[in-house]
Amino acid sequence: MRLLESVAGHEHGAPAKQLARETGLALPTAYHLLRTLVHEGYLRREKGLFFLGEAAERLSSSGAQEKRRSTIVDALAHWRDSIGVPVYYAMYRDGEIEVLCVSDTPGNPAVEEWADFRETGHAHAIGQCLLAQLDEDVRRDHLDRYPVQSLTPYTVRDGQALLRRLDRMRRTELVVERQEYALGTVCAAIPITLGATAATMAISLPSHQADRLLVSARQLQTEIGRLLGSLALSISI
């Protein structure tokens, strides 16, 4: 690991003798370890100089991805505690609705996924928010694959009614859903559009606390606006 760290500090490569000196390793030991690291792909050797290899770069990429994920997880946990609601993060990726992170507590539990979120985007605020951000062709393709179905008496009746609703939504508008996915639950989703990425953060509440929904959603929307710059690089976890 010390050898890897030392090589990483030399953008233009470094010879074995210099790396052995920097890491405090005996030269024969350094040579042996360097050969092993080259064989495993963690280093590459060119004209007597050592550079980071593809395997080490993959480690770095994985670490960066985990750091981005940690940024989102920490933000959701903070909002969960400060607003007192479950907080969800989801995005539309590769033709699917993906709920990537949920932060809740025993006192404020998340909605139970009793029907697959990916297949029921028409019925919950997360799905409606993501679908509203897509262009018409992608939206229709999604609904062809996952047709509208009634989950509760409040679910939108058919695909055409849903498309009309989505057409009326502005891209920056809060999406509110009341008992369309699960009886006894109300939800609100906030659109987050960064380039071609359609994402959302959402909250849910028991229907007897419905009077808190819009206030809490506006509070979350304000908090997201404050942090959006730092979240922008983390949005594709």
Side-chain angles (χ1 to χ4, degrees):
M1 293 303 296
R2 292 202 305 274
L3 280 169
L4 286 174
E5 289 175 353
S6 184
V7 172
H10 296 281
E11 181 182 355
H12 303 292
K17 288 183 179 179
Q18 182 178 358
L19 295 170
R21 185 170 59 252
E22 291 178 356
T23 55
L25 294 171
L27 188 57
T29 301
Y31 270 123
H32 171 71
L33 292 173
L34 288 168
R35 283 195 298 269
T36 301
L37 289 167
V38 169
H39 177 73
E40 297 294 339
Y42 291 99
L43 295 179
R44 57 185 174 86
R45 185 178 184 181
E46 295 180 10
K47 299 179 180 179
L49 301 178
F50 292 89
F51 302 81
L52 290 180
E54 290 185 3
E57 291 169 357
R58 286 196 299 271
L59 283 176
S60 175
S61 175
S62 297
Q65 183 176 7
E66 184 58 33
K67 185 174 181 180
R68 292 196 299 271
R69 178 175 178 83
S70 177
T71 299
I72 294 290
V73 170
D74 291 347
L76 263 62
H78 170 72
W79 294 328
R80 173 202 68 201
D81 295 339
S82 63
I83 304 174
V85 294
V87 185
Y88 310 74
Y89 169 64
M91 63 188 301
Y92 197 83
R93 183 164 61 184
D94 298 328
E96 300 292 346
I97 292 168
E98 296 188 24
V99 178
L100 298 170
C101 188
V102 180
S103 190
D104 65 350
T105 65
N108 291 301
V111 177
E112 180 183 354
E113 188 178 353
W114 72 274
D116 193 326
F117 280 148
R118 292 171 299 178
E119 299 177 6
T120 56
H122 62 281
H124 48 73
I126 287 173
Q128 292 177 27
C129 186
L130 292 173
L131 291 172
Q133 296 177 59
L134 305 177
D135 64 43
E136 184 176 352
D137 289 341
V138 177
R139 189 185 299 164
R140 287 182 179 274
D141 173 73
H142 182 91
L143 294 175
D144 285 342
R145 288 182 288 118
Y146 301 117
V148 169
Q149 54 181 308
S150 293
L151 302 181
T152 79
Y154 303 96
T155 308
V156 64
R157 295 295 91 186
D158 57 64
Q160 289 305 312
L162 176 66
L163 287 171
R164 288 194 295 271
R165 180 192 296 184
L166 296 175
D167 285 338
R168 291 194 299 268
M169 292 179 183
R170 295 193 301 272
R171 279 181 169 260
T172 58
E173 184 179 0
L174 274 174
V175 177
V176 175
E177 168 262 304
R178 301 178 190 274
Q179 303 191 86
E180 294 182 47
Y181 175 79
L183 292 175
T185 301
V186 295
C187 303
I190 297 153
I192 303 172
T193 304
L194 295 170
T197 301
T200 181
M201 290 190 184
I203 64 171
S204 64
L205 283 166
S207 54
H208 68 268
Q209 297 182 32
D211 58 330
R212 292 182 54 206
L213 185 66
L214 287 180
V215 173
S216 298
R218 296 293 184 195
Q219 185 178 348
L220 177 59
Q221 192 170 34
T222 299
E223 294 289 337
I224 292 172
R226 289 174 182 162
L227 284 181
L228 191 56
S230 60
L231 287 174
L233 295 178
S234 307
I235 214 70
S236 60
I237 60 174

